[in-house]
Amino acid sequence: MPQSNSPSAVFLQFAKWPEAGRVKTRLMPELGAVGALEAHIRLTLAVLDNLCATGYPVEFWWDRPVDDRPGEAESIVEELEGAGLHQGVQQGGTLGERMHRALSQSLRDYDRALIVGSDCPSVDPDYARKAVACLADHDVVLGPSDDGGYVLIGASKVAEGMLDDIAWGTPEVLTQTCDRLKESGLSYCLLEPRWDVDEPADWARFLGTC
């Protein structure tokens, strides 16, 4: 658990609202729409468990407003409400805008804010805590992923434009982000690479860790 005199930090879990045919689409050829939906829900809950185990506050940020009748999201919503976790809604037209706004908003209340995607079960509690520690000496911390993106981004300081004009979903994401951070005058630290779940082989890898 963080010490009471440690700078405060919060983890923000980003997630897509679960609907068949909308989530984990690259798993659909093997699992089908319903199977991919079930995989998305299982991954989301696994990431939530990891973040809650860090000892830091956790908030959950959907990509659309929370439905009064959550349907397929019910198991996730029940978990969040049972744990008393705040549910927010991502704002912005691109992933970069959404992350920048979430980090900026959270840094009004916390010294450090860190975002983890719901398809990143390799971000275990120790890795997440290490990311918090890196922000003692850097403005931004990134957890690279094996596919050229990143599984985690955290900040103790943000700047306008720091996540602009990035080709999201391509192998250039990490490199472009580092370039933007340099251009924005922000220092950053890279953790050791981790993996996320996009392709069937990634899903098999996740199942092998359970």
Side-chain angles (χ1 to χ4, degrees), residues 2-209:
Q3 298 299 314
S4 59
N5 59 352
S6 297
S8 61
V10 62
F11 281 96
L12 315 175
Q13 182 173 344
F14 268 34
K16 286 186 176 180
W17 189 267
E19 291 178 2
R22 181 174 183 262
V23 294
K24 293 289 109 193
T25 54
R26 282 182 271 180
L27 298 182
M28 286 172 54
E30 183 166 310
L31 303 181
V34 173
L37 170 64
E38 292 171 348
H40 171 76
I41 293 171
R42 185 169 174 182
L43 288 166
T44 299
L45 292 173
V47 172
L48 182 61
D49 284 346
N50 280 341
L51 296 184
C52 287
T54 64
Y56 287 100
V58 177
E59 296 182 359
F60 198 92
W61 288 60
W62 295 104
D63 71 337
R64 51 166 265 195
V66 180
D67 200 319
D68 290 335
R69 292 174 291 180
E72 299 293 353
E74 185 172 1
S75 59
I76 300 172
V77 172
E78 285 181 351
E79 189 80 14
L80 296 171
E81 292 179 346
L85 301 185
H86 169 76
Q87 296 181 66
V89 179
Q90 303 165 32
Q91 302 290 334
T94 68
L95 178 58
E97 291 174 4
R98 296 194 295 272
M99 292 197 297
H100 183 267
R101 290 185 184 185
L103 291 171
S104 299
Q105 181 176 326
S106 297
L107 288 175
R108 298 171 191 165
D109 300 314
Y110 296 90
D111 296 323
R112 307 167 189 178
L114 304 96
I115 296 172
V116 178
S118 288
D119 58 357
C120 304
S122 62
V123 178
D124 57 59
D126 286 341
Y127 187 86
R129 293 189 198 102
K130 184 175 180 180
V132 174
C134 285
L135 291 173
D137 302 310
H138 300 86
D139 299 322
V140 176
V141 60
L142 295 165
S145 62
D146 293 340
D147 60 6
Y150 39 90
V151 297
L152 174 152
I153 180 171
S156 57
K157 179 182 178 181
V158 294
E160 290 298 325
M162 61 181 274
L163 296 175
D164 287 355
D165 301 319
I166 292 172
W168 302 105
T170 73
E172 305 304 317
V173 169
L174 179 65
T175 299
Q176 291 178 350
T177 299
C178 292
D179 289 342
R180 300 296 174 273
L181 295 175
K182 291 176 186 175
E183 292 165 3
S184 300
L186 297 173
S187 63
Y188 66 89
C189 171
L190 299 180
L191 299 175
E192 62 270 23
R194 284 289 191 268
W195 50 275
D196 56 11
V197 177
D198 289 318
E199 305 290 345
D202 305 323
W203 176 242
R205 184 177 187 176
F206 167 69
L207 294 178
T209 67

